[in-house]
């Protein structure tokens, strides 16, 4: 069972966060650390905790990683081989924050929508087609069939 | 061959337009790999679309959003399914769940939620949503300054948790 070290800055952040969120983040980080052993990788060692290429390369190079706890993001160091992880920063989710990576933040939402937007024209549905549409089997109602199915 | 059986190939060929020109120009081998990849993605997304229909169509996959699963609020704006999974993770009673499945451990349940979250991020253009999140943070100078300072001061320890909470 590995341990979790909380830096002063991280602990202060949790104190300021208060409410149900602080114990939630602390408990879940601790459980993740305790689930690992010196000879057994844990959740905090999984590849999805690595910082992405292009993001703060200096921190990435020194082994800083990021774990998602619900909608919060905890930055930490350490591996199961050290059998200790150090949590040093939390980017907490707060509804209405300009920097929240959530749908409620129009800035982030715009970034995501732009990335996903295929610039395909929206189809305008004919109201007379509604009854025929309803009678179709489920697989013919899929967006895929509507887009590609009638072209063979 | 039936008309229906041809559909995935037609879809795949059309879908292949989403492969960047710069990569498509690098030869037939790439095109073949891309074609197989596109077929696999097409198949998975088609399955998700059918599941959406079977479950009442609340979760929608729209071409405008590259078929990433989303719900649409009463303001007609999308709430991405993976965000909802993050919310479920936040409000889930892990102890109650583990009591129901005593052979599983905490890490397995966390792993399962992470898996569902990543599946919920699947999209036709293979955009890595977590990369987009990283890019969003990358532009936030104040946040990066704060993060670097916190890293440098990580040696100032407040507490060490060695026992299960």
């Amino acid at each position: 069972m590995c341990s979790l070290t909380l830096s002063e800055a991280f602990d202060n952040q949790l104190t300021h966060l208060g409410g149900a969120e602080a114990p939630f983040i602390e408990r879940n980080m601790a459980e993740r650390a305790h689930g690992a052993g010196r000879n057994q990788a844990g959740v905090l060692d999984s590849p999805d905790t690595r910082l992405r290429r292009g993001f703060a390369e200096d921190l990435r190079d020194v082994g800083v990683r990021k774990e998602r706890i619900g909608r919060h993001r905890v930055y930490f160091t350490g591996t199961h081989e050290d059998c200790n992880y150090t949590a040093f920063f939390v980017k907490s989710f707060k509804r209405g924050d300009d920097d929240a990576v959530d749908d409620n933040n129009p800035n982030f939402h715009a970034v995501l929508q732009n990335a996903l937007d295929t610039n395909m024209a929206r189809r305008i549905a004919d109201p007379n087609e509604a009854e025929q549409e309803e009678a179709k089997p489920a697989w013919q109602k899929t967006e895929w069939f509507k887009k590609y199915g009638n072209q063979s | 061959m039936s008309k229906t059986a041809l559909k995935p190939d037609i879809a795949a060929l059309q879908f292949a337009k989403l492969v960047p020109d710069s990569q498509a120009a690098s030869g037939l081998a790439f095109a073949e790999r891309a074609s197989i990849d596109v077929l696999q993605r097409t198949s998975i997304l088609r399955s998700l679309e059918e599941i959406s229909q079977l479950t009442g169509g609340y979760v929608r996959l729209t071409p405008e959003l590259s078929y990433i699963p989303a719900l649409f609020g009463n303001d007609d704006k999308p709430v991405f399914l993976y965000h909802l999974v993050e919310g479920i993770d936040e409000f889930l009673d892990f102890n109650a769940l583990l009591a129901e499945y005593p052979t599983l451990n905490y890490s397995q349940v966390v792993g399962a939620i992470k898996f569902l979250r990543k599946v919920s991020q699947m999209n036709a253009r293979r955009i890595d949503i977590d990369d987009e999140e990283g890019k969003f943070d990358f532009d936030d100078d104040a946040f990066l300054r704060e993060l670097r300072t916190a890293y440098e001061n990580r040696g100032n320890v407040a507490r060490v948790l060695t026992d299960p909470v």
Side-chain angles (χ1 to χ4, degrees):
Chain A
M1 182 184 294
C2 296
S3 56
L4 176 72
T5 298
L6 280 60
S7 77
E8 277 181 4
F10 181 78
D11 204 34
N12 286 338
Q13 281 187 300
L14 291 184
T15 304
H16 284 105
L17 203 58
E21 289 160 341
F24 167 76
I25 294 168
E26 182 180 319
R27 186 178 64 246
N28 278 281
M29 275 304 283
E31 292 275 14
R32 280 159 163 78
H34 296 332
R38 203 171 285 279
N39 297 315
Q40 186 191 338
V43 173
L44 296 176
D45 299 288
S46 59
D48 73 326
T49 60
R50 290 182 198 139
L51 295 183
R52 298 308 172 103
R53 202 171 292 282
F55 173 79
E57 294 282 348
D58 53 332
L59 295 178
R60 190 170 174 268
D61 290 346
V62 291
V64 169
R65 296 202 305 281
K66 175 173 77 172
E67 173 65 345
R68 295 176 178 79
I69 309 277
R71 291 169 293 176
H72 310 286
R73 310 289 187 253
V74 175
Y75 291 83
F76 68 97
T77 58
T79 69
H80 75 95
E81 285 161 338
D82 309 325
C83 216
N84 176 264
Y85 304 90
T86 300
F88 64 89
F89 190 85
V90 57
K91 186 175 183 185
S92 61
F93 167 84
K94 280 186 196 152
R95 182 185 283 272
D97 270 6
D98 286 342
D99 58 350
V101 283
D102 187 79
D103 289 312
N104 292 313
N105 177 2
N107 297 333
F108 179 63
H109 203 87
V111 168
L112 218 50
Q113 279 206 283
N114 285 340
L116 291 164
D117 190 359
T118 52
N119 294 316
M120 290 179 188
R122 285 178 185 272
R123 283 178 303 100
I124 299 171
D126 178 353
N128 295 327
E129 289 177 357
E131 282 184 23
Q132 296 170 17
E133 186 68 19
E134 192 56 38
K136 288 179 183 171
W139 65 273
Q140 283 191 9
K141 292 179 188 172
T142 65
E143 294 288 344
W144 282 105
F145 184 80
K146 288 171 191 167
K147 189 161 172 51
Y148 303 116
N150 296 321
Q151 296 176 14
S152 56
Chain B
M1 189 180 285
S2 74
K3 201 173 173 183
T4 311
L6 282 171
K7 283 186 174 64
D9 300 278
I10 293 162
L13 286 171
Q14 295 208 334
F15 207 49
K17 288 176 187 167
L18 295 172
V19 175
D21 291 342
S22 56
Q23 291 178 28
S26 66
L28 186 62
F30 172 82
E32 283 174 353
R33 280 200 305 277
S35 172
I36 291 166
D37 179 54
V38 164
L39 265 178
Q40 288 171 337
R41 266 189 286 160
T42 304
S43 171
I44 292 167
L45 288 168
R46 186 192 295 268
S47 298
L48 289 179
E49 181 94 45
E50 287 179 4
I51 291 167
S52 160
Q53 292 293 333
L54 282 171
T55 52
Y58 296 104
V59 175
R60 286 163 54 191
L61 293 88
T62 63
E64 291 82 3
L65 292 174
S66 297
Y67 300 96
I68 188 172
L71 296 106
F72 285 75
N74 55 17
D75 56 359
D76 210 29
K77 287 182 182 164
V79 173
F80 296 111
L81 183 60
Y82 84 91
H83 279 148
L84 206 68
V85 173
E86 289 181 358
I88 291 169
D89 178 26
E90 214 169 305
F91 297 111
L92 181 68
D93 185 339
F94 272 82
N95 290 334
L97 192 65
L98 287 170
E100 292 293 320
Y101 298 96
T103 59
L104 298 182
N105 62 40
Y106 174 87
S107 298
Q108 286 175 301
V109 176
V110 171
I113 292 169
K114 280 174 174 251
F115 180 89
L116 291 174
R117 179 181 176 277
K118 286 308 283 186
V119 168
S120 304
Q121 290 183 342
M122 289 185 76
N123 62 83
R125 295 181 73 200
R126 217 172 181 178
I127 303 282
D128 188 321
I129 302 299
D130 292 332
D131 270 354
E132 296 304 315
E133 187 183 299
K135 285 177 199 165
F136 185 74
D137 284 340
F138 186 69
D139 293 332
D140 190 342
D141 289 338
F143 161 66
L144 286 175
R145 250 195 324 274
E146 229 181 325
L147 184 62
R148 286 193 173 99
T149 304
Y151 172 75
E152 284 160 14
N153 296 328
R154 72 191 183 286
N156 301 330
V157 173
R159 287 180 287 149
V160 180
L161 306 178
T162 51
D163 297 317
V165 181

